[in-house]
Amino acid sequence: RDSIRRQRQMCIRDRSLVPPLPGRLRFALEIPSQPILRFAIATATLAKPRFRSPVEFTLTLQSEGHLETLFQERVSRPQRNRWLDREVDLGSWVGSNARLTFEARIVDTEEKSPSDPQELFPLWGSPVLASREEHPDNEKLILISVDCLRADHVGAYGYARATTPRIDELAKDGVVYETAISTSSTTLPTHTSMFTGLTPSVHGATNERKLSPSVPYLPEILARAGYQVDGIVSGAYVSQYFGFERGFHSYVSRHRPRAAESVDRALEVLERARGQSQFVFMHLIDAHWPYDPPAEIKERFRPVTLDIPALMDKVLKHVPPRGEEELEQVKALYDAEVAYADQEIGRFIDELKAKGLYTRSLIILTADHGESFFEHGRWQHGLNLFDEILRVPLIVKWPGNVVKGRVPMQVSQAEIFSTLLEQGGIDSPHSKSTSLKRYAVEDEQVSLPTVAVSEYVTNSVAGSVPVKRISLRTEEQKYVVAFEIEADDEFAVAEILHEEIYDLVRDPGETRNLLDETALDTSLHRQQLY
């Protein structure tokens, strides 16, 4: 927890130049049309630095015997350990062969310099020389994940309250996947599935495990293909603490920012990548507990008449609601949070349109998982694998808005991975992978019945046995099995503790476990686990 807390406000740069102090790094290059040099500067310190002298960063360009200083800035001690984004226009040197020199030095002052130069590292973060000239093939791939967003609280999925008018507009320009199933009930494994195309037991990032560096990872694949890759996320479980920054050129991780702050940052990275092919991942956490929407929309769906802090404590501790009033108050606050996130997503889309990027962008909007309102004896998410948790919104708008409609067939959240790669013209590393486009285009439609796999592992606590739950869901039926597992190994499955089967056609609320009523044969279901 301490490690997570220390990294709440961090921004990671995947590629940085680190010259010695003092030191220079030189590069020869040809200046393109409409050139812009984008970079960041920072001073990183180890332990407790025993110096106060600022570091001066200088960027010079030499061409045809002419030397010019393009940029110079001092970074003082209070500014250490954070990135400062900068850019320089190189329009005066279009078409010329030039030599760029990145230099860093400690500014001489009367105060004590560092006794060990290794205490201080000057960083030039992700320097990129780009052309601002727009080309149709410089596409944007955008993935928006709204934490805890239930599909049945979205207008495009039939919700009566006006929670998501802007998301609903996006849905009209794209494809609505009516039965999209998440791979888990918590944030870490579900987002890892989006970035790997694999279920948790395969990619290995289950519960609180980091992803193995040997598993192919979407941001790395896109970066190698020439995309600028930027992430803006909220909360610890998609932070660099769990390795999510791998492959990103910039990765901004903040603790519970409002959606407006995340959208502002996403618009900044879009602007900085003008003229470049780019992947942007934006994760919004507003719909997550505690449901505390901005004051101006807090009572949009219901007047606040109860003690909200006490009610939120009930939600945290999974205490049953005392009557319908408490339940509806929680839902109204949650819906207001969803409405606020929707408002900011709409602002983001408006800016895409103003920049001329909307039509030629692939935009995927989804959620990592849903949220429970005590349908099965619990609030929030995690632990169980019922549909209020597993059924998530999934809307895909393709470039040119050429594919539209609704797909009732069940799809898996893991297919986001191959969809993004296909749009980028990149082969998937998996032999069996399906793009979501195949479900929506008539001549490519997938006709085979699909089984969506979802998993959750409970933590080992004193006096209890750690348990792994696996759900195998078809469009008609769900099979859930709970295994006892080894305390230190989530993959060492032991004996079966419990099994459940639900008829999703006759019992969509999953209220009756058919195994409680009759002795059904589960052998075929068990075979599917292997």
Side-chain angles (χ1 to χ4, degrees):
R1 291 182 181 175
D2 289 342
S3 297
I4 294 173
R5 191 174 298 116
R6 285 196 297 270
Q7 299 186 61
R8 281 176 174 173
Q9 303 296 327
M10 289 292 289
C11 173
I12 296 296
R13 299 278 172 173
D14 181 58
R15 295 178 176 86
S16 298
L17 304 178
V18 189
L21 274 174
R24 299 183 181 93
L25 297 171
R26 293 188 175 92
F27 299 89
L29 67 164
E30 183 177 344
I31 308 299
S33 61
Q34 299 187 34
I36 190 78
L37 178 65
R38 301 184 180 113
F39 57 92
I41 57 174
T43 55
T45 57
L46 299 179
K48 295 182 179 180
R50 298 188 297 276
F51 68 91
R52 298 182 182 275
S53 301
V55 175
E56 185 172 78
F57 292 82
T58 304
L59 176 64
T60 59
L61 181 146
Q62 184 174 8
S63 178
E64 298 178 355
H66 177 70
L67 180 65
E68 182 167 334
T69 298
L70 303 177
F71 169 84
Q72 192 167 62
E73 183 173 341
R74 293 183 178 184
V75 177
S76 61
R77 187 184 180 196
Q79 296 173 295
R80 70 188 187 279
N81 295 329
R82 64 188 180 96
W83 288 108
L84 305 172
D85 290 322
R86 301 292 183 259
E87 63 179 46
V88 175
D89 190 326
L90 301 182
S92 300
W93 291 273
V94 172
S96 64
N97 293 311
R99 183 182 295 273
L100 283 178
T101 301
F102 296 82
E103 181 178 1
R105 69 182 186 91
I106 295 174
V107 179
D108 292 330
T109 68
E110 295 180 358
E111 300 189 42
K112 187 178 180 181
S113 294
S115 56
D116 182 354
Q118 290 305 303
E119 292 178 352
L120 175 64
F121 295 89
L123 305 175
W124 294 88
S126 299
V128 174
L129 177 59
S131 172
R132 287 174 293 190
E133 187 176 3
E134 293 290 354
H135 297 280
D137 56 343
N138 288 338
E139 64 184 355
K140 304 293 181 180
L141 307 178
I142 300 171
L143 174 60
I144 303 171
S145 174
V146 184
D147 209 294
C148 300
L149 180 58
R150 286 173 62 133
D152 60 2
H153 279 241
V154 175
Y157 286 80
Y159 196 44
R161 284 176 172 168
T163 50
T164 56
R166 302 308 308 274
I167 292 175
D168 301 342
E169 290 175 11
L170 177 69
K172 292 176 182 177
D173 284 339
V175 177
V176 176
Y177 294 85
E178 296 177 353
T179 315
I181 306 302
S182 63
T183 61
S184 186
S185 54
T186 56
T187 298
L188 172 59
T190 53
H191 282 103
T192 307
S193 290
M194 295 184 211
F195 285 167
T196 63
L198 304 171
T199 54
S201 283
V202 180
H203 64 57
T206 59
N207 209 13
E208 295 191 358
R209 288 176 179 262
K210 292 183 179 181
L211 177 68
S212 167
S214 64
V215 178
Y217 192 56
L218 178 71
E220 278 189 328
I221 296 171
L222 291 173
R224 285 196 298 267
Y227 282 83
Q228 170 68 26
V229 183
D230 298 293
I232 301 96
V233 304
S234 317
Y237 286 101
V238 283
S239 73
Q240 60 272 26
Y241 184 81
F242 289 104
F244 271 93
E245 84 288 354
R246 190 176 121 203
F248 283 90
H249 295 109
S250 72
Y251 200 73
V252 180
S253 174
R254 292 184 170 89
H255 179 64
R256 298 195 63 87
R258 285 294 191 190
E261 182 182 344
S262 297
V263 166
D264 286 345
R265 184 65 183 181
L267 293 174
E268 288 176 12
V269 299
L270 280 170
E271 182 63 21
R272 283 178 57 80
R274 287 171 297 173
Q276 295 176 260
S277 295
Q278 183 182 26
F279 169 62
V280 176
F281 170 50
M282 180 170 67
H283 168 250
L284 306 179
I285 201 168
D286 300 83
H288 194 289
W289 178 95
Y291 316 124
D292 185 23
E296 63 270 19
I297 64 170
K298 181 168 284 190
E299 298 192 354
R300 177 174 294 185
F301 301 107
R302 182 185 178 92
V304 176
T305 58
L306 302 175
D307 182 346
I308 300 305
L311 187 56
M312 289 302 104
D313 191 56
K314 276 191 172 185
V315 174
L316 177 64
K317 297 175 180 177
H318 301 285
V319 176
R322 190 175 57 194
E324 193 69 17
E325 185 179 8
E326 286 192 346
L327 180 61
E328 289 305 315
Q329 185 73 82
V330 171
K331 288 183 178 180
L333 291 171
Y334 169 85
D335 284 346
E337 288 278 30
V338 171
Y340 169 67
D342 175 81
Q343 167 190 302
E344 293 304 313
I345 290 169
R347 181 167 68 89
F348 179 72
I349 291 173
D350 288 344
E351 287 297 319
L352 288 177
K353 291 178 178 178
K355 295 175 183 294
L357 299 174
Y358 178 76
T359 301
R360 70 169 191 259
S361 294
L362 174 73
I363 303 174
I364 300 179
L365 185 140
T366 189
D368 50 354
H369 49 71
E371 191 81 331
S372 291
F373 297 123
F374 225 78
E375 292 92 341
H376 292 92
R378 290 182 66 85
W379 299 99
Q380 300 189 76
H381 54 274
L383 189 61
N384 67 52
L385 297 173
F386 292 107
D387 266 12
E388 61 265 21
I389 300 294
L390 297 185
R391 189 163 168 255
V392 295
L394 179 57
I395 298 167
V396 183
K397 186 209 75 69
W398 270 274
N401 306 353
V402 292
V403 185
K404 298 182 181 181
R406 302 182 73 88
V407 172
M409 184 182 299
Q410 175 178 280
V411 300
S412 172
Q413 179 184 64
E415 292 168 299
I416 290 172
F417 173 80
S418 53
T419 304
L420 287 162
L421 289 182
E422 180 186 73
Q423 184 59 41
I426 305 167
D427 291 336
S428 171
H430 310 314
S431 59
K432 294 181 180 179
S433 61
T434 303
S435 165
L436 291 166
K437 199 171 189 177
R438 291 186 61 195
Y439 297 93
V441 179
E442 278 192 28
D443 59 355
E444 296 185 7
Q445 280 188 349
V446 177
S447 57
L448 295 175
T450 59
V451 177
V453 180
S454 308
E455 307 170 38
Y456 178 74
V457 177
T458 62
N459 290 324
S460 176
V461 295
S464 67
V465 175
V467 174
K468 180 172 189 172
R469 287 180 171 83
I470 301 177
S471 163
L472 303 179
R473 189 191 192 281
T474 67
E475 293 178 350
E476 295 81 25
Q477 193 178 82
K478 182 188 286 185
Y479 168 71
V480 181
V481 58
F483 293 96
E484 179 182 347
I485 59 175
E486 298 291 338
D488 297 323
D489 189 351
E490 296 172 5
F491 305 107
V493 175
E495 63 178 296
I496 290 178
L497 299 176
H498 184 65
E499 292 176 289
E500 302 164 57
I501 295 179
Y502 296 98
D503 184 334
L504 299 177
V505 177
R506 294 182 176 84
D507 179 28
E510 300 166 276
T511 59
R512 294 166 49 213
N513 177 10
L514 298 181
L515 294 179
D516 290 340
E517 303 173 6
T518 183
L520 297 177
D521 182 8
T522 62
S523 59
L524 290 178
H525 295 91
R526 292 183 181 184
Q527 288 176 18
Q528 287 182 301
L529 295 171
Y530 307 101

